[in-house]
């Protein structure tokens, strides 16, 4: 009997039954997990430049200058977008062939419809001076194209300077309250990247165009001036030899030539030998 009692005392006690927690009373009975999505790391500078190059600024990510005090229309990147889509500044950023064709069509149209009629009605003998008419019309067309390219260069140079500068000058309400804002590191890197790879090539193209137009205009104007001077000298010498009958230097007073033109003014005066 003693042995049986000892065995019962040494046997392990059975584990207590597990009490299931009521699931209806706990508000967070089931774990909630947020859906995992792959994080795409994009470079805001590269995306901004590509979107503005395509002419679409709506896909631009949030700009780093969210706390920038400069008004939106005066921020350099917005000025660049507005300039690259406005007429005729967008010509300079297009393909080279299309850019040259637009300038050629503009100059030829002005020379044909404006320069040539003005030169035709402004000359004494247009039929006898075809070279003069062509030179005058060509000069007018080249001059108009030069003015247009110069205007484009000034606009792109202004925007390029604001992009490459470390500070931005802006006006809050008018010219009397001008302020200067120092760009942050992100804004400065983005603007200088845009100015170096988008604005500087355009300025280089416009400079070469201005040099070419200046040389072309000089080539057209110099023969035109020489033709006018040659015709004026021939007519002056013919009139002097026919009417005066004596040799006279233009611009110098001569008694003999004055007597031949106004004989009444020299009545009663002896003729000097």
């Amino acid at each position: 009997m003693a042995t049986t009692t000892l065995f019962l005392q040494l046997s392990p006690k059975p584990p207590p039954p597990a009490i299931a927690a009521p699931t209806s009373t706990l508000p967070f009975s089931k774990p909630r997990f947020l859906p995992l999505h792959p994080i795409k790391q994009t470079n805001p500078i590269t995306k901004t430049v590509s979107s503005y190059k395509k002419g679409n600024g709506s896909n631009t990510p949030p700009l780093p200058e969210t706390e920038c005090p400069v008004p939106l229309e005066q921020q350099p990147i917005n000025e660049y977008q507005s300039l690259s889509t406005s007429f005729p500044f967008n010509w300079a950023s297009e393909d080279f062939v299309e850019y040259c064709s637009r300038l050629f069509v503009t100059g030829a149209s002005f020379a044909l419809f404006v320069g040539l009629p003005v030169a035709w009605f402004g000359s004494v003998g247009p039929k006898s001076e075809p070279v003069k008419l062509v030179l005058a019309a060509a000069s007018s067309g080249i001059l108009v194209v030069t003015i247009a390219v110069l205007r484009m260069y000034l606009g792109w140079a202004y925007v390029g300077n604001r992009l490459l500068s470390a500070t931005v000058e802006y006006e809050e309400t008018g010219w009397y309250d001008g302020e200067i804002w120092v760009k942050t590191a992100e804004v400065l890197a983005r603007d200088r990247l845009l100015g170096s790879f988008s604005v500087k090539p355009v300025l280089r193209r416009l400079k070469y165009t201005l040099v070419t137009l200046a040389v072309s205009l000089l080539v057209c104007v110099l023969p035109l001036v020489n033709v006018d001077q040659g015709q004026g000298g021939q007519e002056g010498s013919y009139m002097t030899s026919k009417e005066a009958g004596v040799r006279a230097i233009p611009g110098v007073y001569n008694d003999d030539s004055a007597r031949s033109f106004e004989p009444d003014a020299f009545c009663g005066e002896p003729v000097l030998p």
Side-chain angles (χ1 to χ4, degrees), residues 65-106:
E65 68 272 20
T66 53
E67 298 180 358
C68 174
V70 183
L72 292 177
E73 65 276 3
Q74 299 183 28
Q75 293 180 7
I77 192 169
N78 294 332
E79 291 176 344
Y80 166 78
Q81 181 188 13
S82 176
L83 187 73
S84 60
T85 56
S86 60
F87 174 84
F89 300 98
N90 57 348
W91 292 2
S93 59
E94 293 178 354
D95 185 60
F96 181 75
V97 177
E98 188 174 359
Y99 165 71
C100 295
S101 62
R102 287 178 181 272
L103 294 181
F104 177 78
V105 170
T106 302

Side-chain angles (χ1 to χ4, degrees), residues 79-164:
E79 291 176 344
Y80 166 78
Q81 181 188 13
S82 176
L83 187 73
S84 60
T85 56
S86 60
F87 174 84
F89 300 98
N90 57 348
W91 292 2
S93 59
E94 293 178 354
D95 185 60
F96 181 75
V97 177
E98 188 174 359
Y99 165 71
C100 295
S101 62
R102 287 178 181 272
L103 294 181
F104 177 78
V105 170
T106 302
S109 301
F110 187 87
L112 183 62
F113 296 105
V114 179
L116 188 60
V118 171
W120 180 275
F121 291 105
S123 59
V124 178
K127 295 183 179 180
S128 60
E129 300 174 351
V131 178
K132 185 177 179 181
L133 294 177
V134 173
L135 291 177
S139 300
S140 64
I142 296 175
L143 182 61
V144 169
V145 175
T146 304
I147 295 174
V149 174
L150 182 61
R151 180 66 185 91
M152 286 189 282
Y153 177 81
L154 294 178
W156 281 100
Y158 172 77
V159 173
N161 292 334
R162 288 177 64 85
L163 286 172
L164 299 175

Side-chain angles (χ1 to χ4, degrees), residues 131-132 134-136 138-140 142-143 146 210-227:
V131 178
K132 185 177 179 181
V134 173
L135 291 177
S139 300
S140 64
I142 296 175
L143 182 61
T146 304
L210 286 175
V211 173
T212 305
L213 291 174
V215 174
S216 303
L217 185 62
L218 187 63
V219 169
C220 292
V221 169
L222 286 181
L224 187 62
V225 173
N226 293 333
V227 169

